[in-house]
Amino acid sequence: GAGGPVLIATLEDTLTSAAASYRALYTVNTTSNSVIESFVYSPGGDAAVFDTATTSHTVLRSTFVTVAAEAAAARYIGATDNDLTDSRFRSPNGDGVVFGAGANYNIVTRSSMTSDTVNFAGLRVVGGSSNTVDASYIHNSAGHALDVQAGSNSNAITRSTVSAVAADTPAAHVRAAVATRFNDSWLVNPASWALVVDTAAAGTSVLRSTVVGGGAGQAALHIASATGTGVYNSYVQGSTAVYVAASSATRVAGAVFVATNTYGAGFVAASISVGLDMSSTVITAPSQGIGVYLAGDMGLMRVSTNTIRSGRYGVYVATQAAGARVWLTSNTIIVPLAAADDTYGVLFNG
């Protein structure tokens, strides 16, 4: 309803929808309400909807659950400056939490957001901006754990775990969003990509984080058609650690990239990627692998002051696009001698 503060749930309350398709909790145009140590449940719809002009609400030590198909445990639409702390949001057949259009400046702390179905997520951000998830757990056993979509700007995942286990599905997917930040976090999917940044996403950054993927032929960090992606002081491990395609202004500094597939690469930039600046990074590839692979790129591709260890190729520079400039400066490249195969510190082939 409208108006000033109203305490909507108090200590140890249970809120359950009266009919199968109803929401257990709905707020609109309200300020400074609280849900504390409560259980909010809907069998057939969203468990809770925090709608337009819902501001400065507190969710504390509470559990939100829905079992309905395509429903969310908590959905925020046009709701701002709300705090979700020490709480659990569970939707096995839909989204754990949704920050929709106009859901801005919300903070999730020490909470879990989980789903168990494909095409949904533990946390989905669709048009919400400047939201922060800190010290929390985001998981999906069948699809994306985290999905950040177009119109979502300046959202941050800090000190959190983002995990998935399904094949051909990234744990975290950032698409057409601006300035998404992963700080001091763990992103993992042992069966696929850990993080995909694509579809004109801009300004995505990974800082002091661990990114681990496991899909054969799928990079732990996959960047495609994105601009200004940065990886700083982070550890990335996968079949191929990092794959960059048709992207521009990619920056890497102080990272560690480890390829685990026999023929994998530590870092790949290909398919008309424009501009790379990679420095102070340790890159490791296995017996038949490639440390750094550059193919079909444009602009200045600068690889400097890195340590590159690989069993077959340290740096492999294939045919570049017109106008490309490849700078390899002050790198330490370690490739063993092998009787069975030719090995190369740097190979220009094209």
Side-chain angles (χ1 to χ4, degrees):
V6 177
L7 192 63
I8 32 183
T10 57
L11 185 65
E12 298 181 355
D13 277 355
T14 297
L15 303 179
T16 304
S17 62
S21 61
Y22 289 178
R23 298 157 292 203
L25 172 63
Y26 178 79
T27 71
V28 60
N29 193 28
T30 56
T31 303
S32 302
N33 296 308
S34 299
V35 180
I36 302 173
E37 296 186 5
S38 298
F39 180 74
V40 182
Y41 173 77
S42 175
D46 293 340
V49 174
F50 299 88
D51 212 333
T52 306
T54 295
T55 61
S56 303
H57 284 46
T58 296
V59 172
L60 178 63
R61 296 189 298 274
S62 295
T63 297
F64 292 70
V65 178
T66 177
V67 294
E70 304 183 8
R75 189 182 304 273
Y76 288 76
I77 306 168
T80 62
D81 297 290
N82 299 289
D83 290 331
L84 300 74
T85 304
D86 295 321
S87 294
R88 178 174 177 257
F89 303 88
R90 174 94 176 114
S91 177
N93 302 305
D95 295 310
V97 172
V98 176
F99 289 133
N104 304 330
Y105 302 104
N106 302 292
I107 300 174
V108 183
T109 307
R110 296 188 304 274
S111 296
S112 67
M113 295 157 280
T114 60
S115 174
D116 292 317
T117 191
V118 69
N119 297 325
F120 291 88
L123 172 61
R124 185 184 303 277
V125 186
V126 190
S129 295
S130 300
N131 300 292
T132 299
V133 176
D134 181 60
S136 294
Y137 176 70
I138 309 168
H139 178 75
N140 190 340
S141 64
H144 304 100
L146 172 67
D147 188 12
V148 185
Q149 298 186 17
S152 306
N153 303 324
S154 300
N155 295 289
I157 307 296
T158 65
R159 301 188 303 164
S160 295
T161 296
V162 182
S163 70
V165 294
D168 302 320
T169 302
H173 195 174
V174 178
R175 38 185 166 170
V178 176
T180 304
R181 303 185 305 282
F182 296 92
N183 295 349
D184 303 295
S185 292
W186 173 271
L187 293 80
V188 60
N189 184 349
S192 188
W193 308 280
L195 172 60
V196 171
V197 180
D198 64 6
T199 322
T204 305
S205 63
V206 180
L207 174 65
R208 295 186 305 272
S209 293
T210 297
V211 181
V212 177
Q218 296 171 331
L221 171 55
H222 184 90
I223 303 166
S225 302
T227 301
T229 304
V231 182
Y232 310 107
N233 302 108
S234 294
Y235 178 87
V236 183
Q237 175 185 304
S239 173
T240 282
V242 180
Y243 192 101
V244 181
S247 296
S248 62
T250 302
R251 299 179 299 276
V252 178
V256 175
F257 297 155
V258 178
T260 57
N261 186 279
T262 301
Y263 297 93
F267 180 88
V268 175
S271 304
I272 317 298
S273 288
V274 182
L276 166 69
D277 190 348
M278 180 163 62
S279 63
S280 304
T281 291
V282 176
I283 301 165
T284 304
S287 61
Q288 296 296 314
I290 302 173
V292 175
Y293 181 74
L294 305 176
D297 301 308
M298 297 177 64
L300 176 59
M301 311 296 287
R302 178 164 40 205
V303 179
S304 64
T305 62
N306 304 287
T307 298
I308 302 168
R309 298 184 178 92
S310 178
R312 187 74 186 275
Y313 305 96
V315 178
Y316 191 124
V317 182
T319 302
Q320 301 294 299
R325 292 172 294 157
V326 178
W327 288 8
L328 306 176
T329 60
S330 302
N331 297 288
T332 300
I333 301 173
I334 303 169
V335 178
L337 296 174
D341 297 299
D342 293 330
T343 59
Y344 305 87
V346 178
L347 175 63
F348 290 92
N349 185 17

